[in-house]
Amino acid sequence: MDRSFSPPLSQAHFDDLLERLREAEETLDAIRHGEVDAVVVGGSSGQKVYTLENADRPYRVIIEQMREGAVTLSADGTILYCNERFADILGHARESLIGREVLHFVAPADTPVFAELMAHGPASGRSAELSLINADSVGVPVNFSVVDLDMGQDSARLLCGVVTDLTRSRQRSHELAAANARLAAEIDVRRRAEESLEVALDAAGMGGWDLDLAQGLIHGSKRFDEIFGREGTPGPWLVGELLARFLPEDRPAVQAGFEAARRVGSIEFELRIERLADGARRWIHVKGRVHRQQGRNGRLAGVVSDVTTRRMTEQQLRQAQKMEAIGQLTGGIAHDFNNLLMVIGGSMDMLEEHMPGDERSRRYFAAARQGVERGALLNRQLLAFSRRQDLRQEAVCIDDRVHSFQGLLERALGETITLQLVEPEARWLCTTDPHQLETAILNLAINARDAMPNGGTVSISTRRVVVDSERAQSVGAAAGNYVAVSIADTGEGMTPDVASKVFEPFFTTKAVGKGTGLGLSQVYGFVRQSDGFITIDSTPGQGTTMTLHFPLTDDPEQARAKDDAAVTLRGTGSVLVVEDDASVRDIAVRSLGDLGYTVFEASHAQSALDVVASGVGIDLVFSDVIMPGDIGGMELVQRLRRSHPAMALLLTSGYTGQAMADQPRPADVQLLAKPYTRATLSAAVDAALEKARARLRDPGKPGV
Amino acid sequence: MDHDSAPPANPPRYKLRLFITGSTPRSTAAIQNMRRICAEHLQGDYDLEVIDVYQHPDATRDYQIVATPTLVKVLPEPLRKIIGDLSDSERVLAGLNLAQEP
């Protein structure tokens, strides 16, 4: 062995060297055989990786396959490489693009954007949206992102770019924007429809509602909440919560209505609720229909309105119609009854002169006479109710009247009851019959007294009331200004049922024999005949207020009639009695004969005209108003007034109100109410003759 | 990084580092071959990391890597490098000192 070339080697060192050699050989071998595809080179600027032939093929494939355009640019924007997709976007062959400046394809407007993109920037890349002009000279919107490729200090600057065609996404956003606009327009139309529906419903006083059957929730409009009296808690109602608002006796009907709606598809009812806010009982009308959702009954929607006022008006109207019907009936009976009383009373007048003088006969006769008088009184009350009494209307200040008979009122009320007269704001005048007014107030005061067996207060007050057309319709009077006089007590009050009947004739809550049941009927008829109306405000246990309304007037001179004396006056002259009822005519003929007149008679108007035409010389024609035949009493006197202006005329009727409404009575012709006595007949005949004589003396002055 | 190892209480016997260059053909072949050898011979008793030298060029310095793919057996010692796509299983097993075992 040659020692000089062989320094001593440890076995380990040797093994290590051997291993290193093997590793180096293996490395060289692997490189030589192409078992590696990259080599790593260490240098001053760090480790660098050099890929060998074909090593970047997967990347090339990816780049060629992808749906984005890929491009490599030199620093001055020359295209060094581009993929097929990039060429597609521009519509040129790839071969014709390499070597050209990309700026050539940028839309002129976007060149500043592109220049900024090409300027040096951060290594992480940057992007911008711009338009490229394709082979067809059409602008293609793209997203152009570039990144600087660091090739080392000595290499030229390179930029890698990725180009995304935005045409489709732009198109999609346009479509989306258009769809959005359509949707917005639809929403707008729907909202407007909803708004106008709400306005329309509100104008109709209706609330809208929508019931979700599955959830049991009811969504209501603002008016809906108002109708049910819910304040301050917006949001849906639970079905149970709403049901609880109905009166307990009405709830089963509500439930039945909703049950039936599921089967028949619609709902409608008119029932009562207790309003949440103030506990007021109101009538509501509910109407709705089922929405069918996916084949099953999902929702009910509809409207609700408060119909309390309408129902009250209907009720008042029914009441008014009922009273009218009763009035007609009562008036008819009273008319016939009057004629009977006339016959009885008149016959008794005749009989009186032939009466035997014994005490017993006189007593029987007086009892019969009293019966006739009571019958006549009753009849007057019935006629008053049926609005067929002869009112003497004039301008009346109610307060002055009340003060003038305050003493009488206090005596009637007794010691346990305090009378309170409230001083009015002004002394209004109204048109009515003052005597009937006093009777009516006295009547009401006595009723008030009877309602307070243990004492209390009756207060009388007047005020001015303006009645609008809606209210006028419900009370059955004309719209306008009224003077209202209220008679209020602190008594036991009335139930609504009783209050609705108090004006009916013979309705009384008093013990048998204590009242005729005609007092309030008379008040009612009188007020109605004065073109007024009555309202009742009564609560059981709290008292009753009756308010009479009379038309307000400004004319203090509106007097129409005056009182007649009641003294039997004998007279002379010829009288023609026109009367269809033979008994009544007979009585009149005999009475007038007894008074000293020459009497002619006729059973109807035509025969009366014949008698007058025969030239017998009639001073006065005394005619019934209502008679069978073509000519009535009114027309008869009108004809005679024209043909014989000097003739005295007098009418009689048991039935005056209606007849007067039908045909105007000549101003100077008096009307004698049936039943009349010999005294009232003589006074009326005498007055009529006197008036005719006065007219004859002074033809220019019209009769009063 | 891959980490198909046993529970940490028992550190794996083999610590392996495979250096590759992205998805070049040899690199992808090496990854597949390495997975097969590990599954067949190491029974989960290993810690393998695949290092892309494109992403981490400086990582090659520690083990003086000159070409990819290269498998480095860090543990058990001695450190050993096997160059190539690891398609020669026998050579790989020899490098991992597993050749003698049946």
Side-chain angles (χ1 to χ4, degrees), chain A residues 19 22-23 26-27 30-31 33-40 43 46-47 49 51 54-55 58-59, chain B residues 21-27 53-54 57-58 60-61 65-69 80-81 83-85 91:
Chain A
E19 182 59 27
R22 196 182 56 78
E23 206 175 90
E26 269 183 23
T27 303
I31 291 170
H33 288 99
E35 286 175 21
V36 299
D37 45 22
V39 291
V40 182
Q47 305 293 106
V49 181
T51 37
N54 287 339
Y59 299 104
Chain B
T21 42
S23 52
T24 56
R26 302 282 175 204
S27 295
V53 300
Y54 279 141
D58 293 337
T60 55
R61 208 175 263 165
I65 304 296
V66 295
T68 62
R80 181 90 164 80
K81 282 183 268 192
I83 298 181
D85 61 7
R91 211 180 80 196

Side-chain angles (χ1 to χ4, degrees), chain A residues 54-372:
Chain A
N54 287 339
D56 61 350
R57 176 169 279 177
Y59 299 104
R60 279 181 175 276
V61 172
I62 288 170
I63 295 293
E64 291 300 335
Q65 286 292 311
M66 73 181 186
R67 299 299 301 153
E68 317 301 306
V71 65
T72 322
L73 302 171
S74 67
D76 63 359
T78 305
I79 299 171
L80 302 174
Y81 160 83
C82 72
N83 66 357
E84 195 61 43
R85 175 68 183 144
F86 182 80
D88 275 357
I89 290 171
L90 289 181
H92 288 282
R94 185 142 61 144
E95 293 72 26
S96 69
L97 289 174
I98 308 291
R100 293 182 72 176
E101 282 188 29
V102 74
L103 188 62
H104 178 75
F105 301 99
V106 174
D110 289 336
T111 48
V113 179
F114 185 72
E116 202 175 318
L117 202 60
M118 291 295 288
H120 272 285
S124 55
R126 54 209 180 268
S127 70
E129 286 190 6
L130 47 87
S131 278
L132 298 180
I133 307 297
N134 69 7
D136 298 328
S137 303
V138 174
V140 181
V142 296
N143 181 71
F144 207 126
S145 68
V146 296
V147 65
D148 280 304
L149 188 63
D150 188 8
M151 301 293 284
Q153 282 176 335
D154 39 355
S155 300
R157 181 171 167 243
L158 269 184
L159 292 111
C160 292
V162 174
V163 177
T164 309
D165 187 344
L166 299 177
T167 309
R168 291 191 65 182
S169 85
R170 283 275 167 87
Q171 201 177 329
R172 240 175 268 133
S173 21
H174 283 145
E175 283 167 7
L176 210 63
N180 266 343
R182 264 201 315 278
L183 210 63
E186 268 173 38
I187 288 170
D188 193 46
V189 166
R190 191 168 287 203
R191 205 185 50 231
R192 267 190 238 168
E194 265 174 28
E195 272 171 14
S196 51
L197 182 67
E198 177 131 5
V199 168
L201 280 178
D202 207 50
M206 288 174 169
W209 56 268
D210 187 318
L211 164 63
D212 188 319
L213 289 169
Q215 287 183 297
L217 286 178
I218 296 171
H219 293 268
S221 68
K222 195 162 154 271
R223 176 60 73 98
F224 180 90
D225 284 2
E226 279 170 15
I227 287 171
F228 282 92
R230 189 167 75 165
E231 292 163 349
T233 38
W237 293 69
L238 293 169
V239 168
E241 185 188 358
L242 200 69
L243 189 63
R245 298 275 37 93
F246 286 88
L247 301 191
E249 59 267 38
D250 285 2
R251 275 175 217 161
V254 177
Q255 280 171 313
F258 277 99
E259 282 304 315
R262 290 167 193 257
R263 292 194 311 276
V264 301
S266 66
I267 187 168
E268 181 166 8
F269 58 74
E270 207 164 291
L271 293 166
R272 289 162 299 169
I273 59 163
E274 193 177 285
R275 203 155 56 190
L276 201 57
D278 54 4
R281 290 189 169 193
R282 309 290 296 177
W283 279 95
I284 60 162
H285 182 210
V286 170
K287 198 169 181 173
R289 226 166 59 184
V290 168
H291 278 298
R292 290 184 199 280
Q293 272 188 332
Q294 287 131 28
R296 58 191 187 85
N297 298 347
R299 282 144 65 117
L300 263 171
V303 292
V304 60
S305 46
D306 188 320
V307 293
T308 313
T309 313
R310 194 203 76 207
R311 284 194 73 107
M312 276 170 65
T313 307
E314 281 173 2
Q315 200 185 352
Q316 281 166 339
L317 192 65
R318 275 199 298 276
Q319 180 70 12
Q321 284 168 341
K322 186 179 76 181
M323 295 302 278
E324 187 63 36
I326 298 172
Q328 294 270 1
L329 190 68
T330 312
I333 294 166
H335 177 237
D336 289 345
F337 192 44
N338 245 349
N339 282 345
L340 295 177
L341 285 175
M342 272 300 300
V343 175
I344 299 166
S347 303
M348 287 179 75
D349 285 346
M350 306 294 157
L351 274 176
E352 198 167 13
E353 287 165 21
H354 312 290
M355 274 295 295
D358 63 298
E359 177 60 24
R360 207 166 166 200
S361 304
R362 291 262 162 218
R363 211 168 57 239
Y364 286 140
F365 194 82
R369 171 79 76 191
Q370 206 180 359
V372 171

Side-chain angles (χ1 to χ4, degrees), chain B residues 29-69:
Chain B
I31 293 169
Q32 283 164 16
N33 289 326
M34 190 64 235
R35 288 214 158 269
R36 185 171 41 77
I37 291 161
C38 287
E40 285 172 10
H41 300 280
L42 301 183
Q43 286 87 34
D45 190 15
Y46 63 94
D47 161 24
L48 172 69
E49 282 182 13
V50 178
I51 299 154
D52 185 347
V53 300
Y54 279 141
Q55 311 283 335
H56 308 281
D58 293 337
T60 55
R61 208 175 263 165
D62 296 344
Y63 298 112
Q64 297 176 331
I65 304 296
V66 295
T68 62

Side-chain angles (χ1 to χ4, degrees), chain A residues 464-500:
Chain A
R464 192 186 153 144
V465 172
V466 180
V467 173
D468 61 23
S469 56
E470 193 186 341
R471 178 154 161 75
Q473 209 174 2
S474 76
V475 296
N481 291 306
Y482 286 82
V483 180
V485 54
S486 296
I487 293 92
D489 67 51
T490 54
E492 51 209 19
M494 287 182 280
T495 62
D497 188 45
V498 170
S500 72

